[in-house]
Amino acid sequence: IDKSTMDLLLKDAQIRSPTVAISEAIKKGFFIEMESKINFVHDKVQQAAYSLIPQDQREKDHLRFGLAICSSVLPSLNEGNNPDDVFFVAMNQINRGASEIAKDPSRKPMIAELNLKAAVCAMKLSDFSSAFNYCVHGVRNLYEDHWQSQYDLSLQLCDQGAQAACALGNVKMVKYLASKIHANSRKYE
């Protein structure tokens, strides 16, 4: 993880002195520093640290950290810049916090929109599998009456999902999504 992202996460976790915390972890041998990145010294150390976090807290943290990272990269995306890996990492973290999102339905439209943005970006990079998965997560975050209350977002997610499924050769999913679009379309262009 790059240092700036680590600083952002530690600040979000309300650690008073992120630089000191990182330095201490490096001194104790948990992390190694290479150029501008910080890595766990070994996968087993990362797994051990992760296993110490209670399961219910993990999803909260995935969502919280994903949103924190996403908020730092969105301005660049909104200016038309290409996404970097950090945006996709943030989206994957957000989606790993799915049960936390379900507890606060007011967040669902924002999460669906972010997944659409990630799907569009992934399609531009020809990462069709990720694009499809972002569409699936986006649809999961739509309201039950989404074809009435979130029509444009529903249409865009299903359209992107169908395009990604087509690129993946998943004819069954293309037909399914096309039938949803056909059944709920207000007009045909």
Side-chain angles (χ1 to χ4, degrees), residues 74-182:
L74 271 180
S76 175
L77 281 177
N78 291 336
E79 291 173 2
N81 296 325
N82 288 329
D84 59 10
D85 290 342
V86 176
F87 174 62
F88 296 112
V89 168
M91 288 309 304
N92 292 337
Q93 290 300 306
I94 289 168
N95 289 333
R96 287 182 74 181
S99 70
E100 284 302 305
I101 298 166
K103 292 176 185 174
D104 183 3
S106 68
R107 287 184 167 172
K108 293 180 99 172
M110 175 191 64
I111 303 298
E113 292 266 358
L114 287 172
N115 273 289
L116 175 60
K117 187 178 283 285
V120 169
C121 291
M123 287 290 286
K124 288 179 184 174
L125 296 171
S126 300
D127 185 354
F128 306 118
S129 180
S130 293
F132 181 76
N133 287 329
Y134 291 129
C135 289
V136 168
H137 283 288
V139 169
R140 285 182 184 153
N141 283 289
L142 295 172
Y143 295 133
E144 283 186 37
D145 70 339
H146 62 93
W147 284 107
Q148 288 73 41
S149 64
Q150 298 169 289
Y151 177 77
D152 290 335
L153 183 56
S154 300
L155 187 61
Q156 291 172 354
L157 281 166
C158 287
D159 181 54
Q160 285 293 316
Q163 289 181 48
C166 183
L168 293 169
N170 188 338
V171 177
K172 184 178 178 182
M173 190 53 66
V174 173
K175 287 180 180 179
Y176 172 77
L177 290 169
S179 71
K180 289 291 183 188
I181 293 169
H182 182 263

Side-chain angles (χ1 to χ4, degrees), residues 1-12:
I1 190 166
D2 64 81
K3 287 182 183 177
S4 62
T5 304
M6 180 68 90
D7 282 343
L8 176 71
L9 293 176
L10 291 173
K11 284 179 186 171
D12 187 70

